[in-house]
């Protein structure tokens, strides 16, 4: 009997010690009352405008969840550091967010070069990155297993745009792209789409514009010389505006199609009544939909927070919903491994988008839509 009692006391003691140890060894960023999430992103410059709108949309979700008590009693807190779209700065930010701020996971990565540089940090830490804005397909592939991307790939955008142009009889398509590896990759993707879905063997012409917007005049001349019926633009909004003006100044007037990084409303602010013939591909559903409950809720919360309703904000909102859903699925005592497992098992519909992370792709959505931009900066489907 003594031995049994002794064993029982030992068992109980070990059990209590085990629970205490588990509590003491909780995952970084998982506190009693909060979950710490990190983000390194560009917050300044042309792309920074869209990223700030993206973050504002995500904050609507996080604030709403926190107002209802958080996720399993823990409120979300987001630490954001500006990396200026510089890879070395991004790596330093990710390391600081892990070592100093003790974040549990990451949210809303931006930029091909920055995410490529930070991927080894993600792998070493085991902290997942969920959600993204403006990221090349090749970097997504390299980051597979460490990061999960909501928006459709650029290959899917190129396919959708070229299919549309072929449907309306446009056979000569040119491309204006950023003069960097990401822009070169997009040009390759458009070329592949033209060969597969268009009515030509190759693009009619192509021109690169530097990140700082230089080279617009030369690009305009090259595109006009190509005699293109339509130009697909993979540029910042300020460069799109200048390039459109430079093309029009020659007397040429091709149809202009911007990929999702083009903020059509920002272009309209500058061009106003002079804007004509701009359509953009969009990787999230129409934010002004009356049929979609998530869109209605997004607009309601945006109005209450005095935020402009737009595609970038709605994309951030939907990415925020994905992160929240993943954290809920990770359980009451979430671990980084558990969050990875929750993402790899996720197959659902959020905000009118079908998401599937269960296959071999790191990208969950194939949704791409087209919207026309009016001179008043409104989007029409």
């Amino acid at each position: 009997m003594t031995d049994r009692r002794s064993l029982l006391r030992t068992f109980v003691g070990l059990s209590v010690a085990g629970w205490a140890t588990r509590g003491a060894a909780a995952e970084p960023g998982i506190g009693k009352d909060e979950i710490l999430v990190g983000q390194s992103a560009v917050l300044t410059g042309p792309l920074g405008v869209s990223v700030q709108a993206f973050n504002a949309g995500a904050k609507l979700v996080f604030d709403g969840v926190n107002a209802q008590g958080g996720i399993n009693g823990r409120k979300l807190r987001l630490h954001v550091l500006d990396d200026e779209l510089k890879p070395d700065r991004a790596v330093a930010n990710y390391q600081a967010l892990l070592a100093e701020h003790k974040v549990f996971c990451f949210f809303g990565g931006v930029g091909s070069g920055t995410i490529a540089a930070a991927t080894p940090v993600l792998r070493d830490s085991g902290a997942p990155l969920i959600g993204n804005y403006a990221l090349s397909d090749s970097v997504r592939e390299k980051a597979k297993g460490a990061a999960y991307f909501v928006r459709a790939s650029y290959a899917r955008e190129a396919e959708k745009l070229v299919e549309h142009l072929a449907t309306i009889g446009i056979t000569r398509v040119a491309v204006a792209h950023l003069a960097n590896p990401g822009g070169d990759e997009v040009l390759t993707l458009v070329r592949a789409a033209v060969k597969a879905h268009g009515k030509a063997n190759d693009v009619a012409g192509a021109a690169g514009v530097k990140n700082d917007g230089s080279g617009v005049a030369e690009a305009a001349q090259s595109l006009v010389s190509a005699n293109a019926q339509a130009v697909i633009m993979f540029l910042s909004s300020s460069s799109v505006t200048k390039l459109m003006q430079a093309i029009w100044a020659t007397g040429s007037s091709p149809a202009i199609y911007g990929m999702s990084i083009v903020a059509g409303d920002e272009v309209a602010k500058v061009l106003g009544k002079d804007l004509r013939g701009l359509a953009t591909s969009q990787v999230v559903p129409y934010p002004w939909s009356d049929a979609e409950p998530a869109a209605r809720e997004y607009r309601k919360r945006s109005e209450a927070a005095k935020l402009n309703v737009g595609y970038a904000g709605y994309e951030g909102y939907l990415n925020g919903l994905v992160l929240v859903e993943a954290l809920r699925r990770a359980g009451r005592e979430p671990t980084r491994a558990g969050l990875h497992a929750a993402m790899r098992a996720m197959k659902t519909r959020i905000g009118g988008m079908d998401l599937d992370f269960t296959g071999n792709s790191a990208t969950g959505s194939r949704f791409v839509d087209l919207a026309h931009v009016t001179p008043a900066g409104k989007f029409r489907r």
Side-chain angles (χ1 to χ4, degrees):
M1 179 67 72
T2 302
D3 289 342
R4 289 184 63 189
R5 287 176 178 172
S6 177
L7 286 172
L8 181 61
R9 285 195 298 270
T10 301
F11 176 77
V12 171
L14 287 172
S15 297
V16 171
W19 281 103
T21 301
R22 187 174 72 171
E27 290 275 296
I30 301 296
K32 178 182 177 182
D33 302 314
E34 64 182 7
I35 299 174
L36 303 182
V37 180
Q39 183 189 32
S40 178
V42 56
L43 302 177
T44 52
L47 187 56
V49 174
S50 295
V51 175
Q52 289 183 40
F54 178 96
N55 281 1
K59 186 175 184 296
L60 294 175
V61 175
F62 302 155
D63 288 348
V65 168
N66 290 344
Q68 295 176 357
I71 300 173
N72 293 318
R74 295 184 177 96
K75 295 185 177 182
L76 288 175
R77 186 148 63 90
L78 181 67
H79 286 291
V80 183
L81 299 179
D82 187 357
D83 58 31
E84 300 176 357
L85 212 59
K86 298 177 180 178
D88 56 343
R89 181 76 173 268
V91 171
N93 284 354
Y94 276 86
Q95 291 171 335
L97 287 164
L98 288 164
E100 299 171 24
H101 299 286
K102 308 295 183 183
V103 302
F104 174 61
C105 64
F106 295 98
F107 172 77
V110 180
S112 301
T114 51
I115 303 305
T119 293
V121 179
L122 295 174
R123 295 197 189 284
D124 289 344
S125 68
L129 166 62
I130 297 173
N132 72 293
Y133 189 89
L135 189 70
S136 73
D137 297 4
S138 61
V139 171
R140 297 185 197 209
E141 190 64 23
K142 292 176 183 177
K144 185 165 61 178
Y148 305 89
F149 308 112
V150 175
R151 61 159 42 208
S153 66
Y154 286 138
R156 177 63 179 150
E157 282 193 63
E159 178 185 14
K160 184 78 172 183
L161 284 166
V162 171
E163 282 182 342
H164 168 75
L165 292 172
T167 299
I168 62 176
I170 289 180
T171 60
R172 295 184 61 80
V173 179
V175 181
H177 60 93
L178 289 168
N180 61 25
D184 293 340
E185 181 178 322
V186 167
L187 173 59
T188 299
L189 293 172
V190 175
R191 279 188 156 135
V194 166
K195 291 178 181 178
H197 305 284
K199 296 184 178 180
N201 292 324
D202 200 356
V203 297
V209 176
K210 293 182 180 179
N211 291 356
D212 62 4
S214 60
V216 165
E218 295 84 352
Q221 288 297 327
S222 177
L223 294 169
V224 170
S225 298
N227 194 29
Q229 296 166 284
V231 179
I232 293 176
M233 295 197 178
F234 180 78
L235 300 169
S236 68
S237 300
S238 58
S239 293
V240 168
T241 301
K242 294 174 183 176
L243 186 53
M244 290 175 73
Q245 290 172 321
I247 291 173
W248 294 338
T250 69
S252 181
S253 187
I256 305 296
Y257 286 80
M259 294 186 74
S260 60
I261 67 166
V262 175
D265 48 356
E266 294 297 320
V267 174
K269 282 182 183 178
V270 177
L271 295 179
K273 61 181 177 58
D274 293 329
L275 177 63
R276 59 186 185 276
L278 174 63
T280 55
S281 57
Q282 301 295 340
V283 292
V284 295
Y286 196 58
W288 297 273
S289 170
D290 289 324
E292 175 54 50
R296 295 199 303 269
E297 184 65 20
Y298 161 67
R299 294 198 304 275
K300 177 181 176 182
R301 293 185 182 186
S302 294
E303 182 179 352
K306 295 181 171 53
L307 295 174
N308 292 328
V309 172
Y311 278 106
Y314 193 42
E315 183 173 354
Y317 187 85
L318 295 181
N319 275 257
L321 290 177
V322 171
L323 174 62
V324 167
E325 177 66 17
L327 288 169
R328 283 175 173 154
R329 293 185 181 201
R332 296 192 65 83
E333 298 298 329
T335 63
R336 288 170 174 170
L339 185 56
H340 274 293
M343 284 302 303
R344 289 194 299 269
M346 187 180 292
K347 186 175 183 179
T348 187
R349 186 174 177 85
I350 293 179
M353 283 199 310
D354 291 319
L355 298 173
D356 186 357
F357 292 96
T358 63
N360 192 40
S361 173
T363 298
S365 171
R366 284 178 52 82
F367 179 91
V368 179
D369 196 10
L370 299 182
H372 289 275
V373 185
T374 72
K378 305 296 183 182
F379 289 89
R380 297 286 183 262
R381 297 171 65 193

